[in-house]
Amino acid sequence: MPKRLRRLTGQGDLHFITFCSHQRRSLLGRVRARNAAVRILREVRARYSFALMGYVIMTEHVHLLISESVAVKPAKVIQVFEQRLSRRMHGKKRAGKGLALRFPGQDGGLRRFWQRRYYDFNVYSRAKVQEKLHYMPANPVKENLVQHPGDWPRSSWSYWYRGEGLLQMDAWT
């Protein structure tokens, strides 16, 4: 990625955000880890009041389609999400809370959970929104994790096509 990357915020655009685990390892390979990621996404969304149009949580990366929060920039949303999930995976407890999941790299000396940078693409048209909403749930199929997008519960596909899912989605106006 460019060293002087500029993120465009304050335009009222949606943001298609992708962030990856360190060295693209399958640190979210366990169901419990992906479930924790969904719970933390729900918490961060409630705290910062951003609209969530789509998401998929894969074994080594996450895609989000979100609006800008009135309170903070998308960078802060991603930072808080990543910190909370990595702390949970490392088994660090904060304020007496914590889900002590075993961090897959603890014995191997891996100290970082996330790559340092993330990809942020401003989405400003209905056509691009539709493109991203179709792209995200296709990831598990493309990676041969499931045969149909509806078989991967940690994505927005079930909400948009069945009216149910782990997280409620917001409509783009």
Side-chain angles (χ1 to χ4, degrees), residues 15-34:
H15 295 267
F16 177 68
I17 297 173
T18 303
F19 47 100
C20 303
S21 60
H22 184 63
Q23 298 175 344
R24 290 196 64 110
R25 293 187 182 186
S26 292
L27 301 179
L28 299 171
R30 294 189 177 129
V31 172
R32 286 184 62 194
R34 291 190 301 274

Side-chain angles (χ1 to χ4, degrees), residues 79-136:
Q79 176 189 18
V80 171
F81 175 86
E82 287 181 346
Q83 285 177 346
R84 287 186 182 184
L85 186 57
S86 63
R87 285 179 182 144
R88 179 129 342 142
M89 293 299 293
H90 278 298
K92 295 179 182 175
K93 295 184 180 182
R94 296 193 70 193
K97 299 177 184 175
L99 173 66
L101 293 173
R102 187 178 177 281
F103 181 58
Q106 283 176 333
D107 299 330
L110 181 65
R111 298 184 54 87
R112 295 194 58 79
F113 192 91
W114 299 105
Q115 287 185 8
R116 292 189 185 274
R117 306 287 300 247
Y118 67 91
Y119 175 77
D120 182 356
F121 176 84
N122 286 53
V123 178
Y124 48 84
S125 71
R126 288 200 180 278
K128 281 291 181 187
V129 169
Q130 290 301 315
E131 175 187 314
K132 300 307 180 188
L133 288 176
H134 285 93
Y135 172 80
M136 287 184 283

Side-chain angles (χ1 to χ4, degrees), residues 7-13 15 68-69 72-74 122:
R7 305 212 188 270
L8 301 175
T9 59
Q11 312 275 323
D13 294 339
H15 295 267
E68 292 183 18
S69 167
V72 297
K73 293 181 179 182
N122 286 53

